[in-house]
Amino acid sequence: MSSSEGNRKGPSVTLHMVSSLDGFIAKKDNSVSWLDSAGSVYEAGVSISEEEAAAFVKAIDCYVLGSRTYEHALELGWPYGDTPAVVVSSRKWPPARNSVEFYSGDLKTLVDVKLAPRYRNIWLVGGAMLCRRFLELGLVDEIILTIAPVLLGEGLRLFGGSPTEERWNLKNVVAYRNGFVELSYSAPTA
Ligand SMILES: NC(=O)c1ccc[n+]([C@@H]2O[C@H](COP(=O)([O-])OP(=O)(O)OC[C@H]3O[C@@H](n4cnc5c(N)ncnc54)[C@H](OP(=O)(O)O)[C@@H]3O)[C@@H](O)[C@H]2O)c1
């Protein structure tokens, strides 16, 4: 059961990932050029201004990420600004940015005890392993999946093979001029 079930005004956990058309979230060599939009323009699609994108990101209160995603984010250049971020890891890490804290332990406790009292709009941003665990535990309220117009052939599978069949509720679809499509789903209701 998610932390916000039965209380729609409570905090919510949104899982956000970008997937290739064939269901991968990372290439084997971890390169990310496939995320750049070099494809053809979809004329009927929308584009968002930098101001709109900034306002959207500003509404996110906290990011949660697995340690491998954290390592990759550090390599690429920290994309989460000064927004609080919680890195889930059992390892000891050197001191990081002020906005980053590390968490080891039960994920339901993380959401219900540590995050829910402090944050409303919580974004789980990967990777596959951590997202799969959040889904298994029923800790996700919303999935926003952005599909990139590219086949990768191989790589790291989105969610790494979810264990149970579950029907989510489609809430919104946005097609962008760069050929990316954003699908939003809410969690199944009991
Ligand atoms: N396309 C996208 O939208 C997107 C988004 C995010 C990431 N990525 C890519 O995905 C890759 C990383 O994903 P990943 O699946 O390999 O790793 P991950 O989910 O980012 O991190 C997994 C790590 O989290 C820690 N962890 C601690 N408790 C856990 C728990 N209960 N369940 C699961 N993990 C727990 C473990 O680290 P310790 O060993 O430290 O304990 C585990 O090895 C990177 O290449 C990244 O760039 C892509």
Side-chain angles (χ1 to χ4, degrees), residues 19-35:
S19 167
S20 67
L21 266 178
D22 48 351
F24 297 106
I25 64 152
K27 288 182 77 165
K28 277 199 163 166
D29 65 2
N30 246 342
S31 60
V32 292
S33 57
W34 65 279
L35 291 166

Side-chain angles (χ1 to χ4, degrees), residues 88-165:
V88 181
S89 177
S90 58
R91 287 180 274 166
K92 269 257 170 263
W93 291 86
R97 311 168 58 94
N98 285 342
S99 59
V100 172
E101 58 182 300
F102 297 94
Y103 176 86
S104 166
D106 180 63
L107 297 178
K108 187 164 167 47
T109 305
L110 168 65
V111 173
D112 290 347
V113 178
K114 202 170 162 65
L115 301 181
R118 287 197 281 168
Y119 307 117
R120 303 187 74 73
N121 189 10
I122 301 161
W123 273 47
L124 171 64
V125 289
M129 203 185 275
L130 190 62
C131 287
R132 181 184 176 175
R133 199 66 197 118
F134 262 73
L135 286 169
E136 281 171 357
L137 294 168
L139 294 173
V140 178
D141 298 289
E142 185 184 19
I143 294 175
I144 300 181
L145 186 59
T146 304
I147 309 288
V150 56
L151 294 169
L152 290 180
E154 59 177 2
L156 181 63
R157 280 253 164 241
L158 172 72
F159 307 149
S162 302
T164 49
E165 180 175 330

